[in-house]
Amino acid sequence: WPGGGSPDLTDERGRGLRIDKWERLSPSFDSRADIRPQVAASAAAVLEALTRYGFEAFIVGGTLLGAVRDGAILPHDDDADLAYLSHHSNPAELVLENDRLHRALLRDGFEVVRHSWSHLQVIRGEGDYYVDIFTAFYKDGRFHEPIHVRAEGLDDAILPLQPMELHGVQLPAPADPEAWLAACYGPTWRTPDPSFVFETPRETQRRFDAWFGSVHLGVNNWKRRYGDGLSGHETEIIRPHVIASADVVVDLGSGGGEDLSAYRAASLTARGVDAVLAAP
């Protein structure tokens, strides 16, 4: 390391950083006091809501992997992963159902961010972690679970759900968790792999993108930029005359609100919308 010593891999809050499965530097559960029991309890609360709405929901992803392989949430993870099994298979019906789910969660006071029409994210712990909710369904003889799983041979792998204890909390899991894990992580899922990254087949990625879209491209970097009140316009000068005769401005991705202030100073009606919950 230039100058000797080692790099300081911590964020502005003093949390240790590591490279996650999406090849980003992110804080993980092992970078602070162990909050995994809290994460498991949050997953249980979201699962209870999904069950109340009539969905058959269960743990998936790294949460299921940790439960089966280690009996605990993976210490280097940063979220909890859930899915619900829809009885629909038509993409339009799946989108409408997911919209109804989103609205129900909001009515029940959950803080929700949409990443696609098959992926919702419930913010928990004052934004320290989150609970992902993915849509799962069967179509054309295959089990589908965006953003990655599209596999044959899982007809009996999900139902009936079975209870699995995680940090003292009973959580529903697939009937055959090993089959789900092999479909998601490959046949070597039992062996920890620090270098693991998802390699989603192009056909699968294009199909899911076409069916459900994606509204989260680059959003994590955007959130890091603005989530703590940082400004993105320190050197940018806004000249309101460039918007011609418009008297109403909607700033999509308003960040710290500097542009909004300039528009309003020019006597324009300005509204800002941003994916970062902490942005003005």
Side-chain angles (χ1 to χ4, degrees):
W1 187 256
S6 59
D8 179 17
L9 295 179
T10 58
D11 65 8
E12 66 282 350
R13 295 169 58 184
R15 299 177 298 180
L17 302 175
R18 56 89 178 99
I19 298 176
D20 64 17
K21 57 183 174 292
W22 306 111
E23 299 182 336
R24 299 188 301 256
L25 275 175
S26 302
S28 60
F29 295 144
D30 59 1
S31 66
R32 66 197 99 164
D34 191 359
I35 63 170
R36 290 179 294 172
Q38 179 183 340
V39 175
S42 291
V46 176
L47 284 163
E48 187 277 329
L50 292 172
T51 301
R52 186 158 29 87
Y53 304 151
F55 293 105
E56 294 175 292
F58 47 95
I59 58 173
V60 292
T63 307
L64 180 63
L65 177 62
V68 174
R69 197 171 67 189
D70 303 327
I73 295 176
L74 300 173
H76 56 271
D77 211 343
D78 59 3
D79 65 356
D81 297 311
L82 312 177
Y84 65 90
L85 183 61
S86 176
H87 297 293
H88 296 295
S89 61
N90 183 287
E93 292 175 324
L94 290 162
V95 166
L96 291 173
E97 178 182 65
N98 193 263
D99 179 62
R100 291 192 292 271
L101 169 58
H102 188 181
R103 293 172 185 270
L105 289 166
L106 292 174
R107 284 196 300 270
D108 278 355
F110 290 98
E111 192 172 25
V112 186
V113 175
R114 176 173 294 286
H115 282 243
S116 78
W117 287 103
S118 62
H119 177 193
L120 298 172
Q121 191 176 81
V122 178
I123 309 299
R124 303 292 286 183
E126 298 182 354
D128 284 338
Y129 64 93
Y130 46 89
V131 178
D132 277 326
I133 306 174
F134 300 100
T135 304
F137 58 98
Y138 290 100
K139 183 177 176 63
D140 300 330
R142 294 179 177 180
F143 174 80
H144 297 71
E145 188 192 305
I147 49 180
H148 177 71
V149 181
R150 183 168 178 257
E152 297 178 343
L154 296 181
D155 291 356
D156 301 316
I158 307 302
L159 301 180
L161 301 177
Q162 61 168 316
M164 188 170 290
E165 184 171 329
L166 199 59
H167 299 282
V169 179
Q170 293 289 325
L171 302 174
D176 187 350
E178 290 83 0
W180 188 97
L181 290 167
C184 184
Y185 297 106
T188 62
W189 64 267
R190 293 183 184 275
T191 303
D193 179 6
S195 64
F196 176 82
V197 293
F198 282 115
E199 296 181 0
T200 306
R202 179 171 174 80
E203 178 186 357
T204 298
Q205 181 176 345
R206 292 185 65 184
R207 189 172 295 268
F208 286 159
D209 284 347
W211 284 346
F212 305 113
S214 179
V215 297
H216 77 287
L217 295 177
V219 73
N220 287 302
N221 291 331
W222 186 257
K223 285 164 63 177
R224 288 190 182 95
R225 178 66 174 170
Y226 289 107
D228 294 308
L230 298 177
S231 169
H233 301 281
E234 296 93 337
T235 60
E236 184 175 347
I237 299 175
I238 303 299
R239 295 181 172 84
H241 67 269
V242 301
I243 60 175
S245 60
D247 58 1
V248 177
V249 176
V250 177
D251 188 357
L252 302 179
S254 52
E258 295 83 1
D259 289 1
L260 293 174
S261 296
Y263 295 140
R264 290 165 182 166
S267 300
L268 299 171
T269 299
R271 298 288 184 269
V273 180
D274 204 292
V276 182
L277 299 178

